[in-house]
Structures are given as structure tokens and as C-alpha cells.
Amino acid sequence: MAAMMGMGRIIRSGERVALSHYHLDAEQWSAMLSAPGATLPLISCWADDARAYVLLLEGDRPLVASTAVEERRYLAPSSRFAGAEWGERVAYDLYGVEAMDARGNGAPALDEGGWTSTWPLSSRPGPAAGGLRPLAGSHLLRPEQTGLSGPLELSFEVLKGKVRSVEVCAGGAHRGVVSRLLGRTPEEAMPLVSRMTAGGFVAHPLAFARAVAQARGLVPGPGIRDVWMVLLEIERMSLHLFDMARTARGVDAELLATHCDHAREVIARACAEQGVSRRLMDMVACDGFRDGLEIVPLAQAVHAAMQPRLAALEELHRVFAPRLDGFAVLDVRLAERFAVGGVTGRASGRSMDMRRREAGMRLEALRATGSSQGDARAREELRLAEIRDSLKLLERILGSIGLEDDEPAPDRTDEGIGVAEGARGDVWYWVRLKDGRIEGLHVRDPGVSLLPVLGAMLRGYPVRRVPAALGSIGISPAGIAL
């Protein structure tokens, strides 16, 4: 019977344990991985001592499947989903659970030999291996050389001065954040979630708050929902400007970079003058937002500060755009295969924007669509278009703030999935509660989806041009190794 069923139907034949989560036995798990027909897009893969999980998209809806880990082993999701390899490697480093028939070379994702114990989160951790492992590749970019804001190293095989293959070295970026959140109440965890990465001071806590609300069987009211939307759009504009400035400097477009910096600064100053942090840290709460936040004057101040600067940014982009033609191209087939989101995915033709499925979203304001060119020019043009959309969305929300909708509350299952479409892509949280505390947690930052496509995007480029390419892609090291 399983051979006649598609992937989604096989998953739903399992035991339903939460709104979108099904437990599969070993036979059902195997059937899912060998199901005929289309492969559902993989958002994330993870595992612990007890179970292995995949988070998939069916249309624009999340679908979670899990299976038991038996004798520290499970059948590798990467046998069907190429993007699952990173999660399998992380699970082995942290828990010592092995993905059978996995793709790739099985190299460590996080443990580079400097940990005090092996499999530190396992119920049976082992002694440390001792000694740092040598990094593969003939060329290495240290964190201070990548142009990124975080401790991520890139190891390259170089042929005749040009990149041939790339290996990501994330051990230095791993902070053990998720393990520190286990056992806390969501309210106790929120300050740390809010500091997860500067690439998502709003997006990460918002996705977490939505997951917690679903686990508790709650739906935030329209007033809270609209405040969250406003905060997310302000952050989107600020981060788009940051990434545009980084890209511009990579191609010696200093004038454009300076204008982006100034525009980002006026947004930050408008936030500070309204009594909130310059980068909107600690604004989102599990049940709403920070006490004393006046969202209407904040949105008005940011809109007034940013709107007059947009025309100059667009004109400067037109001047310098030819320098970005054909640079760091992501093919649409790779974008689809690895579920690359955000500007990088949409500029390559993968038209996925999770804001479009949100209740209460003013869809008429979301007009920006990406091309299929997939190069740095397409990404910058889309960032500018999305800034214009964000300003329009602020206007729409201010004109109808607290607009009612009929979104039903889910049943309380103590498990939830939350997503927020951040500036750099879709941020996902999966949360399981027990007695009001976090028993299980998984975080998927959009940077993870970029790891398997970096090699293709950078292949053939001189190593000296890699930092400029990374700036255009918008990768954030802090969100990759949590």
C-alpha cells in the first residue's frame, strides 16, 4: 500500500501527536524516504537520543515526521533529502546518533576536536577525542577574512587560483544555545532567543513566540499580530540596508554603501527616539510585546525617516548595478532543491514568502517578486523592492491596525511550530513543552539552507572575491551553529 502513496499521505498514515507532527514506525519512515512522485521540500532535519525528525513543506504548510532512534541509529533522511546532511552531522556530533546510508563524507559539523567530551548532549557522553582535527582544503578563510559578522571558517579546494569546492567549518560558531534553553519556561528562554543572532532580533523571538502559542493552544490577538508585523518590517529594512552596504563595498561601490549605512542609521535613530532599542532587541514577548511599546508612533517615525531616502538608493543602485551582473549565481533548481528562502531564494525564482500565509497580512502591499537571474544584481534589486513594500505595508497596517480575523485556535498539544519570514529568509522553531517547560527545541535559521549551495555559487571565483559574494548572499554565521 505504501508504494502507491505519496510522501505526504505516508506521513499522515503515522500517529498524529501534534497539529502537524506524525510519529512513523521504521517501516513508514523507510516508505517515506522511498515514496514515488514528488519530494516535499525539506526545511530542516534534526535528531536527539530518542527520535529523528524532518520538517517539510506541503504547499506552504509545515509537516513534521519523526521516527524512533534505535541503538543510536536511524535511516538517513539524506538518502532522499540532500539538504538533510547538515542536520545529520550536527546530531552525530551532539548526541552520537548515526544516520545510516547518509550522503556525504560524514565529516564533523561542529566538533573539531576541541570539546571536553564527545557527544555532549547524549545520555551516554564519551571521552574527548583530543587534539584539533586538521581542516580539509588547500586554502582557508579565517572568520576575520570572510567579511561576515561571526566565527565561521571556510575551507576551499583551489585550482589555478579559483574555488573548486567549499567546506564550512562551524565549530567556532557553536555556542550551545539550544541546550541552554532546555528545561526553562518559554518566558525564561525568551531573552536568550532574542539574542540568538543580530540577523534576527525580531524574527527569531517571533518564530519562537508563535511556536509557543501553538503549543499552548493560543492565537495571538490581531493587535499583537499587527505589532509583530510592524517590528518585523522595520527589521527587514534595516537588514536589507546592511546587506546592500556589504555587497556594495565588495564591488567598490562606496558611495552606495555609505548611503545604505546612513539610511540604516536613521532607522536606528528613529527607534531610539521612540524609546526602544536601535535594533529592536527584546521587543517580542511570548504573549505579545514589551510593556510600554507605542507601535503607531514608532512605525510613523521609521516611515518618515526612510521614505525620502529610497529614491536616492534606487538611483545609486542603477549606477553600480552592472558590477553585480552574473556574480554569485544561484540556479533555480538548487534554490528549489534545498529550499533556499529569503531574498537569495526569491531572486533565483523560488517564489516562497511565508508572510503570504499569515492571518491578517495586507497582501496588497507585498508586490515585490524576484527574477530568475539569481545573481547579486537580482538580489539587490529585490532588497530595494522589498524595502518599498515594507514602507507600504507599514502604511496599510497603520490604516487598519488590529483588524479582526477568524483564525481559529489550535488544540493544545504542548507542541508547536512557528515561522517568521525574516529579512534573510524563513526562521523556524519547533517547541515541545512538558509541565510548562521546554522539553524539546529545534531552531532552523535560513543560513542553514545556504550551506549546501555555497560551493555551486562560489565555484570558479578567485578566493579574494568570496567575501563580496558572501555579503550578497546574506549569510549569518550566528544562526548556523546553535
Side-chain angles (χ1 to χ4, degrees):
M1 177 64 71
M4 303 295 293
M5 298 169 64
M7 187 172 287
R9 290 182 62 194
I10 291 172
I11 292 172
R12 285 189 293 273
S13 71
E15 177 192 1
R16 187 178 184 181
V17 294
L19 182 64
S20 304
H21 181 188
Y22 296 83
H23 283 176
L24 308 185
D25 60 28
E27 182 180 350
Q28 291 168 323
W29 183 262
S30 177
M32 175 191 71
L33 297 178
S34 59
T39 298
L40 296 179
L42 175 86
I43 298 300
S44 196
C45 164
W46 70 101
D48 55 28
D49 269 339
R51 302 194 73 82
Y53 302 81
V54 289
L55 169 58
L56 310 173
L57 272 186
E58 191 174 36
D60 62 356
R61 299 290 173 177
L63 187 61
V64 176
S66 68
T67 194
V69 172
E70 299 178 357
E71 298 182 357
R72 290 184 179 266
R73 292 184 174 184
Y74 61 99
L75 188 59
S78 64
S79 63
R80 178 66 178 262
F81 307 100
E85 183 193 354
W86 177 258
E88 293 168 355
R89 291 163 58 194
V90 169
Y92 184 80
D93 285 357
L94 296 179
Y95 291 94
V97 293
E98 181 181 359
M100 297 182 292
D101 298 327
R103 297 189 186 203
N105 58 15
L110 306 176
D111 184 2
E112 296 173 359
W115 290 0
T116 56
S117 65
T118 301
W119 312 330
L121 300 187
S122 168
S123 57
R124 294 178 290 168
L132 293 175
R133 297 182 179 89
L135 294 173
S138 57
H139 195 99
L140 182 70
L141 275 188
R142 297 288 180 187
E144 63 272 15
Q145 298 171 309
T146 64
L148 301 177
S149 305
L152 192 71
E153 294 179 331
L154 297 174
S155 176
F156 302 92
E157 287 291 348
V158 178
L159 181 65
K160 296 181 180 180
K162 296 184 178 180
V163 173
R164 187 177 180 184
S165 63
V166 181
E167 181 70 28
V168 175
C169 313
H174 179 62
R175 296 165 287 157
V177 175
V178 172
S179 64
R180 291 162 59 190
L181 297 177
L182 298 177
R184 301 191 184 197
T185 67
E187 287 72 20
E188 292 168 345
M190 182 58 89
L192 189 53
V193 172
S194 297
R195 290 157 176 78
M196 196 74 77
T197 168
F201 285 147
V202 174
H204 271 264
L206 176 50
F208 176 67
R210 286 171 171 167
V212 169
Q214 187 180 103
R216 290 171 168 171
L218 304 174
V219 173
I224 292 172
R225 177 206 65 208
D226 284 350
V227 169
W228 285 350
M229 286 183 185
V230 168
L231 294 172
L232 195 59
E233 295 311 306
I234 295 174
E235 177 174 78
R236 186 181 319 281
M237 291 188 287
S238 177
L239 282 171
H240 279 351
L241 291 165
F242 178 82
D243 289 336
M244 288 176 62
R246 233 174 13 175
T247 304
R249 288 195 169 91
V251 293
D252 298 322
E254 187 61 40
L255 183 59
L256 174 57
T258 299
H259 273 257
C260 290
D261 288 340
H262 287 172
R264 190 173 191 235
E265 176 59 24
V266 300
I267 291 176
R269 192 180 305 133
C271 291
E273 289 172 354
Q274 294 300 317
V276 301
S277 66
R278 288 166 53 86
R279 304 297 182 217
L280 300 180
M281 188 185 294
D282 296 325
M283 292 296 102
V284 177
C286 288
D287 58 353
F289 48 88
R290 196 195 74 175
D291 289 343
L293 172 63
E294 296 291 341
I295 199 63
V296 171
L298 173 62
Q300 291 171 334
V302 169
H303 189 283
M306 185 60 210
Q307 181 71 56
R309 295 176 175 268
L310 189 54
L313 289 171
E314 291 173 334
E315 180 59 33
L316 285 169
H317 168 73
R318 281 191 286 271
V319 171
F320 293 108
R323 302 184 186 185
L324 302 173
D325 282 335
F327 184 49
V329 176
L330 174 62
D331 184 87
V332 63
R333 291 167 294 183
L334 287 178
E336 293 283 358
R337 184 182 183 195
F338 293 101
V340 177
V343 165
T344 302
R346 286 192 287 277
S348 296
R350 182 177 181 260
S351 56
M352 180 62 70
D353 186 335
M354 298 308 294
R355 289 178 295 174
R356 296 185 179 278
R357 65 182 291 270
E358 293 178 17
M361 175 57 65
R362 282 64 166 183
L363 293 175
E364 72 278 6
L366 301 182
R367 295 173 295 178
T369 56
S371 71
S372 58
Q373 298 301 309
D375 60 4
R377 180 172 184 164
R379 291 189 285 273
E380 294 307 276
E381 289 174 350
L382 184 53
R383 286 185 175 109
L384 280 168
E386 289 196 359
I387 290 173
R388 185 173 291 280
D389 277 4
S390 291
L391 291 169
K392 184 63 66 176
L393 186 54
L394 293 185
E395 295 171 8
R396 294 286 191 270
I397 293 174
L398 289 175
S400 58
I401 195 161
L403 183 69
E404 293 286 348
D405 58 67
D406 56 357
E407 185 181 10
D411 294 334
R412 174 166 186 159
T413 61
D414 282 336
E415 183 179 313
I417 303 170
V419 60
E421 183 67 39
R424 291 171 177 157
D426 41 327
V427 178
W428 293 83
Y429 274 69
W430 171 83
V431 175
R432 185 176 65 239
L433 304 177
K434 183 177 181 180
D435 299 327
R437 296 185 175 273
I438 299 172
E439 183 185 44
L441 177 69
H442 178 68
V443 183
R444 187 273 202 176
D445 184 87
V448 173
S449 69
L450 294 170
L451 300 182
V453 302
L454 279 182
M457 296 184 74
L458 302 178
R459 189 174 298 121
Y461 285 92
V463 174
R464 61 180 173 79
R465 298 202 70 190
V466 167
L470 295 176
S472 170
I473 295 166
I475 193 169
S476 175
I480 289 173
L482 301 172

